[in-house]
Amino acid sequence: MTSYQRWTLRTEHTSYTVRLSPDGPWAELDAWGPHGVETGPSALDWSHRTHFVTRADAAPAEYLPHGLRPFNGADLVASRPGHERGVWWTFGGAEADENSLRLTFTDDVLGLRTVLCYATVPGTDVLHRWTELTCTGSEELRLDRLDSAAVNVPVTAGARLTYLTGQWSQEFQHTQLDLHRGTFSIGSTQGAPGHAYAPWLAVQDLTTDDAPAYGVALEWPGNWHITAEAEPGGAVRVRAGRVPHEGSVFLAPGDTLTTPRLACAFSPDGLDGLSRVWHRYERRLAGDRLHRTRKVLYNSWEATGFDVEAAQQLELAKAAADIGAELFVVDDGWFTGRTDDTAGLGDWYPDPAAFPQGFGQFVDDVRALGLDFGLWVEPEAVSPGSRLYAEHPEWAYRIDDRPARLVRNQLLLDLGRPDVQEFVLATLDRLLTGYGIDYLKWDMNRPPTERGRPGAGPADRLDLDAEHVHGYLRVLDHLRSAHPHVTIEGCAGGGGRIEHATIARTDVVWPSDNTAPLDRLGIQYGFLHAHAPHVMSSWVTDAPGVFDPRLRSLAFRFVTAMCGVLGIGADLRAWTPDQRAEAARWIARYKEVRDVIHHGEARLLGSPQDATCGVQYDAPDGHRTVVAALGTGRLDGAPLVPGRPSRLRLRGLDPAATYRDLATTTTYTGAHLLHYGLPFAWRADHDAELVVLTRQ
């Protein structure tokens, strides 16, 4: 067998070529880019300059353990308890077909088989990578690092990293850093991806602003890290994987551990093109549910808070139905004892005082208005004063002999326990079969802090983070199979748990609890770089800005929310008849174009820092283009030049085609829209437009 054995996997537009290294027993990246890039000398072959490092440390390795790669960051650290750590493996063979590849490496002394796994995702430019680790010896193995994969990016002048940062109420902030040398790392140990960073990273060469973009996204709703290393030889190598809560995972003889999948993507069209690769991939994840209409939602939380009462909820539902909403969701506060955030969680029974005619009658009354009905739940949470906690205190995370800390006045259930999973399954089944519920919003409002399992000892070899993740995914899988008609929304105090495992099992996700228009514009701008419009739930509310408090028109709030899945959360009882009439017009317009917004190709136009920005959506058949345009007021509403409108250049149109604005009947050539752009004359009372162009 030649050491230059190579395998090429092809996605819709890209090629990914792996070879066995001529320098040692490992696989390394030979080429990654557009079709045909694999023909010619490898641009990643920098492994022969190895002063003071080993060949493995300098190689563009796909995956290397500590032992073979001692200096520049290993992807796997393993040992037998009581022995020195390290893996020295040999190549054990390959299995390959048109869409997948499996490369096996074995260390018979340690007793470990490692399989590097690759699979293309049909109809996309995404490649999945993961690793399978099997204990083949008679002693258990200790794994101190178990990354999913490493990704090498060929840069020539340093790397520009784009990532999504934030905090609660300020998630998905588009952030960039130029990395010439050194190590950059993001991650979370909060038992969820968290609000501070999204498990997503894009890498470009610093040569040009629109340089081809390489991206990775980790499919794991637990602890994680992504680390980029700009190495001395000029290479940039990205490692990603889960981070065990206990620091190590033990693998018993005969057992196999499968790491989370790492999705790898490439676009020659920069970050804008890379975003469309991710959008197409997430439409693929939705499967047949992609074609389920994402209905216009009304959620009563910002109108009533915990003060939930049937008559007042029905008043809101009637107002929502009158303006064209299709779905009414009752948020927190509907269950027994839930008058504030100090009680009730875990006791998931409707409060009879709030629904004197019965909850079933209330649901029927909402549905009689022509609305679907939805409900908020937080299945992983428990209040210390609840009946559930009194009966099962051992179900909450706690370290023996240590105090339990409250976050948001609540504790977190150990969803890794089978009995807790069965309780959650039974609770949700009871609600979804007992009432006419079409929509379920799953929230999570506190991370695990004292993460222990009462009564467990060192011999139990716990992996609490992975067990919780598997329990969470098991419940979501059950909901999809047992209640396929129910639309599922994923939420964790806003955008705290958004990644591909969750997106594959839900229909929409909630990017942030911050619904203020200008704040939300920045959140959505970052979100749409990584995630698709059809999963982005966004509301029109009366919320003032947390970070940018400038007032925006009702039109601005609607157009911003229409960039994804439209919802309304304002107190409609306080709106004037004129406001309700305007809202009804916007909702009607949204319904006419939401198929393009949810299924079309999206392009981000400008940024929230510009005087004019927006999102362009092109219908799959190319006959309609929808532009959501927003005047941010960055220039205090004044035009760029007195008497001249602001222009928003479109992208991807046919220069020779003619496009007609349905509202104004203005006709443009594609060349005009690409070169000059759409004109907008912003004023304080006119700061947003929805333009629908038809190709003539």
Side-chain angles (χ1 to χ4, degrees):
M1 181 182 296
T2 175
S3 60
Y4 288 95
Q5 191 171 358
R6 298 165 81 238
W7 303 268
T8 296
L9 294 167
R10 290 181 174 83
T11 66
E12 190 173 22
H13 302 103
T14 68
S15 297
Y16 192 98
T17 299
V18 181
R19 71 173 185 175
L20 283 182
S21 172
D23 298 319
W26 60 79
E28 58 190 30
L29 183 63
D30 191 69
W32 185 17
H35 287 161
V37 72
E38 67 274 15
T39 302
S42 176
L44 297 102
D45 190 7
W46 53 69
S47 62
H48 297 287
R49 297 187 62 188
T50 56
H51 301 296
F52 278 81
V53 294
T54 70
R55 292 283 177 89
D57 284 297
E62 293 286 273
Y63 199 86
L64 270 176
H66 179 74
L68 287 177
R69 185 180 172 95
F71 301 126
N72 283 352
D75 313 300
L76 172 66
V77 178
S79 64
R80 286 178 290 169
H83 292 75
E84 184 62 36
R85 61 183 184 168
V87 180
W88 286 264
W89 64 31
T90 59
F91 180 59
E95 301 174 41
D97 60 29
E98 183 179 0
N99 300 311
S100 66
L101 173 66
R102 294 171 61 87
L103 302 177
T104 299
F105 298 86
T106 59
D107 183 338
D108 293 334
V109 174
L110 181 64
L112 175 66
R113 180 173 66 248
T114 304
V115 182
L116 310 186
C117 305
Y118 304 75
T120 61
V121 181
T124 76
D125 284 317
V126 169
L127 173 79
H128 282 149
R129 294 188 54 196
W130 70 96
T131 303
E132 295 173 358
L133 303 165
T134 302
C135 179
T136 59
S138 59
E139 295 182 78
E140 70 175 0
L141 297 179
R142 172 174 172 157
L143 308 177
D144 294 316
R145 178 182 287 277
L146 55 156
D147 285 345
S148 294
V151 175
N152 296 272
V153 180
V155 297
T156 59
R160 173 158 295 160
L161 307 181
T162 301
Y163 53 113
L164 303 172
T165 68
Q167 58 184 324
W168 176 80
S169 82
Q170 198 182 27
E171 300 91 328
F172 297 104
Q173 301 301 300
H174 185 267
T175 308
Q176 292 187 315
L177 177 146
D178 293 346
L179 186 69
H180 293 275
R181 289 284 293 273
T183 300
F184 167 86
S185 188
I186 55 177
S188 169
T189 55
Q190 293 186 316
H195 299 81
Y197 304 101
W200 177 96
L201 180 72
V203 184
Q204 295 172 282
D205 201 304
L206 277 174
T207 52
T208 61
D209 289 340
D210 58 352
Y214 300 80
V216 298
L218 188 67
E219 183 183 286
W220 185 251
N223 295 344
W224 63 279
H225 85 98
I226 296 177
T227 300
E229 295 166 317
E231 298 177 345
V236 170
R237 190 168 185 268
V238 178
R239 295 184 288 118
R242 53 169 296 225
V243 177
H245 167 75
E246 294 79 10
S248 301
V249 172
F250 289 87
L251 196 57
D255 284 355
T256 296
L257 184 149
T258 301
T259 69
R261 293 190 304 191
L262 183 70
C264 307
F266 168 78
S267 173
D269 300 320
L271 294 177
D272 189 52
L274 185 64
S275 71
R276 290 192 295 278
V277 173
W278 291 123
H279 296 176
R280 181 173 295 187
Y281 172 60
E282 291 187 354
R283 291 196 293 269
R284 177 84 183 188
L285 289 179
D288 292 340
R289 291 169 76 105
L290 175 66
H291 304 290
R292 173 183 298 183
T293 299
R294 271 75 177 158
K295 295 188 176 181
V296 178
L297 166 154
Y298 180 85
N299 184 296
S300 62
W301 171 253
E302 295 201 15
T304 61
F306 293 107
D307 184 21
V308 173
E309 188 272 326
Q312 139 252 69
Q313 294 291 307
L314 286 171
E315 182 183 5
L316 286 167
K318 176 65 166 59
D322 287 344
I323 63 172
E326 301 161 301
L327 163 68
F328 184 80
V329 179
V330 177
D331 211 281
D332 199 351
W334 59 269
F335 46 99
T336 302
R338 192 65 168 173
T339 56
D340 55 29
D341 68 4
T342 64
L345 293 169
D347 298 341
W348 298 106
Y349 291 88
D351 185 351
F355 305 99
Q357 304 301 316
F359 192 66
Q361 183 60 54
F362 167 72
V363 174
D364 291 343
D365 290 343
V366 171
R367 296 177 66 89
L369 296 170
L371 296 168
D372 286 357
F373 182 78
L375 201 62
W376 174 97
V377 291
E378 192 173 355
E380 295 150 282
V382 62
S383 299
S386 66
R387 185 179 67 183
L388 177 68
Y389 187 72
E391 294 175 353
H392 295 287
E394 75 282 4
W395 283 7
Y397 284 118
R398 189 179 74 250
I399 297 174
D400 286 333
D401 303 320
R402 299 294 184 183
R405 179 176 3 194
L406 296 181
V407 176
R408 198 177 179 256
N409 297 303
Q410 64 195 53
L411 299 171
L412 192 70
L413 294 176
D414 180 353
L415 197 55
R417 293 178 58 125
D419 47 4
V420 173
Q421 294 172 28
E422 293 304 319
F423 165 76
V424 172
L425 290 170
T427 297
L428 297 179
D429 283 344
R430 170 173 52 80
L431 291 170
L432 295 176
T433 57
Y435 305 104
I437 297 172
D438 307 283
Y439 189 98
L440 194 70
K441 181 173 182 177
W442 179 313
D443 206 348
M444 175 195 184
N445 281 303
R446 68 100 82 208
T449 45
E450 292 70 42
R451 198 168 197 180
R453 182 171 292 166
D460 291 302
R461 301 301 197 201
L462 297 178
D463 185 2
L464 291 177
D465 185 65
E467 291 182 23
H468 194 108
V469 166
H470 295 321
Y472 165 67
L473 297 181
R474 179 195 170 201
V475 175
L476 286 180
D477 286 338
H478 172 82
L479 291 175
R480 294 290 287 262
S481 62
H483 309 282
H485 70 286
V486 176
T487 296
I488 307 297
E489 177 180 354
C491 175
R497 186 158 59 185
I498 296 177
E499 43 64 56
H500 288 143
T502 294
I503 286 173
R505 293 166 171 85
T506 56
D507 299 288
V508 293
V509 291
W510 182 235
S512 180
D513 286 341
N514 186 346
T515 60
L518 284 167
D519 292 347
R520 190 66 177 219
L521 186 62
I523 292 165
Q524 294 185 176
Y525 177 75
F527 182 94
L528 288 173
H529 274 82
H531 301 297
H534 77 272
V535 305
M536 186 177 74
S537 179
S538 188
W539 296 356
V540 176
T541 72
D542 298 319
V546 178
F547 301 96
D548 192 334
R550 289 175 298 158
L551 296 176
R552 297 285 94 183
S553 70
L554 190 60
F556 189 102
R557 286 178 272 162
F558 264 98
V559 173
T560 301
M562 288 159 63
C563 289
V565 179
L566 176 63
I568 298 95
D571 188 349
L572 298 179
R573 298 168 301 182
W575 281 14
T576 66
D578 286 346
Q579 286 176 309
R580 294 193 192 190
E582 181 181 354
R585 291 193 296 271
W586 281 115
I587 292 171
R589 292 191 67 190
Y590 170 75
K591 291 176 180 178
E592 293 173 350
V593 298
R594 63 180 162 192
D595 61 321
V596 179
I597 292 172
H598 297 165
H599 302 147
E601 295 284 306
R603 304 171 192 271
L604 296 165
L605 306 176
S607 80
Q609 284 67 48
D610 298 328
T612 300
C613 67
V615 187
Q616 172 186 337
Y617 306 88
D618 298 316
D621 62 7
H623 290 305
R624 280 189 299 168
T625 292
V626 177
V627 180
L630 299 151
T632 64
R634 297 297 177 193
L635 299 175
D636 297 323
L640 297 177
V641 176
R644 181 183 301 173
S646 177
R647 292 267 182 170
L648 196 59
R649 288 190 180 95
L650 306 191
R651 300 196 189 112
L653 302 181
D654 180 355
T658 300
Y659 297 86
R660 183 182 180 86
D661 182 338
L662 290 181
T664 66
T665 71
T666 306
T667 299
Y668 305 89
T669 63
H672 184 98
L673 294 170
L674 294 167
H675 185 68
Y676 289 121
L678 278 169
F680 299 98
W682 300 129
R683 306 183 305 272
D685 61 346
H686 177 72
D687 54 6
E689 281 189 14
L690 187 75
V691 178
V692 181
L693 301 169
T694 59
R695 182 170 175 166
Q696 302 300 293

